[in-house]
Amino acid sequence: MKKREFLKSAAVLSAGVFISPFISACENNNSTEDSGKPKTPNPPEKMLVALPELGYSYDALEPYIDAKTMEIHHSKHHAGYTKKFKSALESSDLQEMSIESLFQSLDTSEQHLSLRNNGGGYYNHKLFWESIGPDKGGEASGNIQAAIQQSFGSFENFSNKFKDAAAKRFGSGWAWLIQDANGALKVVDTPNQDNPLMHQLVEVNGQPLLGLDVWEHAYYLNYQNRRKEYINAFFNLIDWERVNSRLV
Ligand code: MN3
């Protein structure tokens, strides 16, 4: 009995020693609060910006997107946008809002240019990686299928419209499937790293459901000038369940 009590108190003691730096760190944060009420978290949270992990390996999307393109696109291009966005955010007074609100506040001014280009690059690529995957593709199903049917008449009409927007986007940019404020789905395209959340900067705004990067860096190693082949290949990768989950 005595031995057991000793072991018990030794365990409590060692646990106490182990966690004490954590406790004292918390206590320091709460040092001005002595009312006994739990302290509310420090509002508002700063936007968390970090290069996301892909949910699959660089070669997982072969043969539709090759491993080398994926590696450069994610570890160089997306990493670059992420780093520059963090830096632009830190030197702005716009850190304490959601990225959606940030985009809505951006205008054509010079002071917003880096947030526009790099914030767009950060967000658009994240959405892009999350919209595709191995063993995906095919036709949409569920609510997104019904919404596509209602807005475009058929999946084929939608895919033709989307492919056309992606092919005709002059220079660098993105093709999008969006949901507007009335719930209707639309296909739009934007230049550079703009996106449909940037209300003051795009002709048609809405919630992005699906985005396709048609910058040459997204396909040139494998497809060279054959952008249409890359666009067709993309349809073998679309994760429709994920797109469905973005419906408002
Ligand atoms: Mn890109």
Side-chain angles (χ1 to χ4, degrees):
M1 203 56 183
K2 275 188 177 174
K3 191 180 175 190
R4 187 184 286 175
E5 277 170 13
F6 169 76
L7 287 173
K8 199 176 165 187
S9 55
V12 168
L13 185 65
S14 60
V17 169
F18 178 68
I19 62 170
S20 65
F22 175 70
I23 289 173
S24 58
C26 292
E27 282 172 352
N28 283 344
N29 278 345
N30 288 334
S31 58
T32 55
E33 192 97 6
D34 54 12
S35 63
K37 289 179 190 165
K39 193 185 176 192
T40 50
N42 296 335
E45 294 271 329
K46 280 189 180 177
M47 196 190 302
L48 180 66
V49 179
L51 182 67
E53 295 271 328
L54 298 180
Y56 39 81
S57 60
Y58 286 140
D59 64 358
L61 307 182
E62 300 255 15
Y64 306 115
I65 302 179
D66 63 285
K68 194 71 186 167
T69 296
M70 285 300 296
E71 183 184 347
I72 296 171
H73 203 173
H74 177 255
S75 72
K76 305 292 183 197
H77 292 278
H78 197 188
Y81 290 123
T82 304
K83 190 177 171 194
K84 288 177 192 166
F85 179 41
K86 277 178 88 163
S87 162
L89 209 49
E90 277 162 21
S91 52
S92 77
D93 56 358
L94 302 169
Q95 297 171 53
E96 293 171 350
M97 58 168 72
S98 69
I99 197 162
E100 289 80 7
S101 303
L102 170 75
F103 287 157
Q104 286 175 21
S105 74
L106 296 181
D107 59 34
T108 56
S109 67
E110 185 68 23
Q111 69 178 57
H112 284 170
L113 194 59
S114 184
L115 290 168
R116 175 182 181 178
N117 289 338
N118 296 301
Y122 168 72
Y123 177 94
N124 298 348
H125 287 89
K126 187 170 185 292
L127 184 129
F128 183 49
W129 309 135
E130 289 170 357
S131 301
I132 55 180
D135 307 316
K136 304 292 181 189
E139 287 206 15
S141 59
N143 291 340
I144 186 70
Q145 193 274 338
I148 285 173
Q149 184 83 28
Q150 187 166 6
S151 294
F152 301 102
S154 69
F155 184 82
E156 194 185 1
N157 284 350
F158 151 71
S159 67
N160 287 339
K161 199 164 187 178
F162 188 93
K163 287 174 182 178
D164 199 48
K168 288 183 177 162
R169 163 85 300 217
F170 184 75
S172 299
W174 292 74
W176 303 96
L177 172 65
I178 64 168
Q179 186 175 23
D180 73 12
N182 299 319
L185 304 197
K186 289 176 178 169
V187 166
V188 295
D189 58 278
T190 54
N192 305 316
Q193 297 294 354
D194 288 356
N195 73 46
L197 291 168
M198 299 174 179
H199 287 202
Q200 301 178 61
L201 304 173
V202 293
E203 284 175 36
V204 183
N205 64 67
Q207 178 65 36
L209 304 178
L210 174 69
L212 173 59
D213 187 346
V214 293
W215 282 58
E216 284 187 348
H217 68 229
Y219 63 89
Y220 212 84
L221 281 181
N222 194 32
Y223 294 95
Q224 291 85 48
N225 59 324
R226 304 187 308 278
R227 189 194 281 190
K228 281 186 181 175
E229 280 183 37
Y230 160 71
I231 295 166
N232 285 330
F234 170 72
F235 273 74
N236 294 303
L237 298 171
I238 300 170
D239 184 343
W240 284 110
E241 269 182 48
R242 185 58 79 99
V243 178
N244 190 56
S245 75
R246 297 187 182 124
L247 278 172
V248 178

